Amino acid sequence: MSNEEANFECWKINVYFKIMDCVINGMKNRFSVESLKIGVGVDNFIQLKYEAEMMVIKNMMNKESFEIDDIIPIVDNNIFLNFCKLLQTALTIPISSASCERSFSVMRRIKNWIRNTMTNDRFTNLSILHIERDLSHVIESENVLNIFAEKDRRIS
């Protein structure tokens, strides 16, 4: 074994395997058994390891390694109906918890020491508006004001 191969083996054992162990343990601690099964299922689905339709599509690919972008032009929605449904499901399942973590950081920004007397209803509504801000930016304030102005607000 050459000196370079020995250095590589030493690096692999002392660095790479330790990092991979940390990553795997972190994934096991962070995600539940069910979400890990979903992730493995999605990975197997992407790798086309199950179902007859997937085997046909894999044979149509004519290569061992491929990406989702390579599969989409080949798949016809009318011919591979089950595969298309599974592909839509796999692409819409959130694998990470980033959106949940963003929600908690939003809550800290909204309810700070200045707004400490805010009621829970108001806090919930402000949080939803901030978390879903891409949807709330589309809403035109004129339309909301017009709807609000149509109702009689006088106290009798």
Side-chain angles (χ1 to χ4, degrees):
M1 182 181 290
S2 71
N3 190 23
E4 188 175 305
E5 290 174 343
N7 286 340
F8 180 74
E9 283 296 317
C10 181
W11 177 84
K12 190 166 71 170
I13 291 169
N14 292 326
V15 178
Y16 178 74
F17 288 148
K18 288 182 181 180
I19 291 172
M20 290 309 295
D21 284 341
C22 289
V23 169
I24 290 169
N25 287 331
M27 300 256 318
K28 285 180 181 177
N29 291 336
R30 182 172 206 129
F31 298 109
S32 67
V33 174
E34 292 82 18
S35 59
L36 287 174
K37 286 181 183 177
I38 290 172
V40 168
V42 169
D43 184 49
N44 286 335
F45 168 69
I46 298 297
Q47 296 299 317
L48 301 177
K49 291 187 178 175
Y50 299 110
E51 300 291 326
E53 288 182 9
M54 293 182 200
M55 295 308 293
V56 171
I57 293 169
K58 189 171 185 178
N59 290 335
M60 290 171 62
M61 294 297 297
N62 291 329
K63 55 183 175 179
E64 196 62 34
S65 178
F66 47 85
E67 302 275 328
I68 292 179
D69 295 333
D70 300 332
I71 299 171
I72 293 174
I74 292 174
V75 176
D76 183 5
N77 201 10
N78 296 324
I79 297 172
F80 302 106
L81 184 63
N82 294 326
F83 182 83
C84 288
K85 288 180 182 177
L86 285 171
L87 185 62
Q88 287 175 341
T89 303
L91 293 175
T92 57
I93 292 175
I95 298 299
S96 74
S97 62
S99 60
C100 298
E101 291 172 8
R102 272 196 305 271
S103 300
F104 282 105
S105 60
V106 163
M107 287 185 212
R108 268 196 313 257
R109 280 185 297 218
I110 292 174
K111 191 153 186 172
N112 56 23
W113 64 274
I114 296 172
R115 298 186 187 125
N116 206 19
T117 59
M118 185 184 325
T119 64
N120 281 337
D121 287 338
R122 182 177 175 89
F123 176 64
T124 302
N125 293 334
L126 285 173
S127 299
I128 291 172
L129 279 174
H130 189 72
I131 292 167
E132 302 294 338
R133 65 181 170 267
D134 54 332
L135 296 174
S136 64
H137 285 279
V138 176
I139 299 172
E140 294 183 25
S141 57
E142 279 294 319
N143 294 343
V144 175
L145 289 173
N146 289 337
I147 292 170
F148 188 76
E150 288 175 0
K151 297 181 181 177
D152 186 23
R153 305 257 179 238
R154 290 186 213 163
I155 298 175
S156 305

